[in-house]
Amino acid sequence: MIGSILVLDDDTAIRTVVAQSLRRAGYDVMTVATLAELDVQLAIKLPDVLISDVVLPDGNGLDRVARLTAEHPALPVIVLSAQNTLSTAVRATEVGAYDYLPKPFDLDALSRAVQGALARRQGAPFESVDAEDSALPLIGRSPAMQDVYRVIARVVSNDLTVLISGESGTGKELVARAIHDLGTRRRSPFVALNMAAIPRELIEAELFGHERGAFTGAQARSAGRFEQAAGGTLFLDEIGDMPMEAQTRLLRVLQSGEFTTVGGARTIRADVRIVAATNRELAQLVSGGQFREDLFYRLNVVPVTLPALRARRQDIALLARHFLDKAAESGLPRKQLDPAAIVALENYDWPGNVRELENIMRRIAVLSRDERIGADEVRAMLGGNATAAVFEGDPGIEAAVRARLERLAREEPAALDDGSLYDRIIGEVERPLIEAMLARHGQNQLRAARALGINRNTLRKRLDMLGIDPAAGGRPRLTSVERLDSVF
């Protein structure tokens, strides 16, 4: 057997189907139906992977997962749940679950998640996004994205209007699709309309449709986007570019819930959820008289702000690998990134955000001759401005830390993964800081500690740990052997 799997689910059919599927794949599978049965089985043997439901007859599976991951950090847990909301996914991540799959789930997706969990437990390198929920369009586990997930989770169960803001390329349409796909309207159409791409004189006809002969060239009746999206979601992208006259009609529809086609007299009920997006500051447009204030408040019921990619650098490696995998699935050569290449990507400022990263990964897949991509090739693909772009306007300390990471990735790539990185970097920053403050205050530890915002005992501990001798002007302490060497 290639791994032992314990399945916890109170649904007999799910336990049977999952167990049969995993056994066919060669795994040793045990099943239990309650938390009490889980405790009995865990006392006998700890599995390689635990698959757990959330709602169980004798308690909440996520609460138990939190305890298990605290007690057994190396145990990967895959959470299954019929509560298909991002809040459940976020909660699963918070309690330390390896992966989350909403029910009904695909057995192949579950199999991939089990493979990834076993690979992580065995220390295999992470080169894919198998751990990401394949049913969700959003990728990223940074704190900035967790905030986005929490907002989405609160709106998927209702029809409140959502306004998504963020720079171009941050994935605003993906958020709109997530709201639709996880909501009650998911079986009805998702219709997107880019307001900036439509001639001003045609916007109303695009939104509300037109009757035959309504204007020159209207040879037949045409349904607008409101009708096309009936029962579903209408995504209005770049809403800040909507002309004033169209804003007035849209406001009227949002207020009354009804509209008429251009050239028509029949009232049609607007059965859609509105999700709008903009890369402009609508509040400033309102102040400048370029956007209706009453429409702004109608749209801004639930605001969602998407972070720029430079504000979620922790997600860059995951996104890059995801895009390389997508490129390979479309027939392009499969590529991998070495640690120095990932650091180079993380050091770039990404003015085009996630869209630019996806384009760069596809370019690498097409143009690179090597299967494994290094930092030099990444910089070349970025036009040679990778270092300058991220350091421009940055504080010196931030630039220095990033440069140090990039050098480590080139010279000691293992240092990025061996668990020593935090202490190493903090130590390199802390030493000159303490030495400088001691020098500034004449080696007086009390005044230096007060300036640093720490107490004197903490400073003394740091001096001992770093080997700094205030009596020697902040220079490292010498051992007895070193003192003898200095004499001779």
Side-chain angles (χ1 to χ4, degrees), residues 107-166:
L107 286 173
D108 289 338
L110 178 60
S111 179
R112 290 194 299 270
V114 169
Q115 291 173 11
L118 285 169
R120 189 189 74 167
R121 186 176 177 90
Q122 295 162 4
F126 178 70
E127 289 292 346
S128 70
V129 291
D130 289 342
E132 283 294 325
D133 187 350
S134 60
L136 300 177
L138 297 168
I139 291 176
R141 292 176 175 168
S142 61
M145 286 306 293
Q146 296 299 321
D147 291 340
V148 173
Y149 294 160
R150 288 185 179 90
V151 176
I152 295 174
R154 291 181 175 90
V155 300
V156 293
S157 60
N158 54 60
D159 278 343
L160 293 176
T161 302
V162 177
L163 179 62
I164 308 166
S165 59

Side-chain angles (χ1 to χ4, degrees), residues 351-422:
N353 291 294
V354 178
R355 184 184 296 127
E356 183 183 6
L357 176 60
E358 181 174 14
N359 290 341
I360 290 295
M361 291 302 101
R362 292 187 68 84
R363 188 184 307 167
I364 284 175
V366 171
L367 300 180
S368 176
R369 296 185 180 89
D370 300 323
E371 180 182 347
R372 194 161 187 85
I373 309 304
D376 290 341
E377 189 154 10
V378 164
R379 293 192 201 94
M381 292 292 179
L382 292 170
N385 297 320
T387 302
V390 74
F391 293 162
E392 184 178 351
D394 272 1
I397 186 66
E398 185 176 351
V401 170
R402 290 178 183 158
R404 180 69 176 114
L405 288 174
E406 189 166 348
R407 189 164 69 252
L408 275 175
R410 289 195 306 268
E411 299 170 359
E412 302 176 59
L416 297 181
D417 301 301
D418 64 6
S420 68
L421 186 61
Y422 181 84

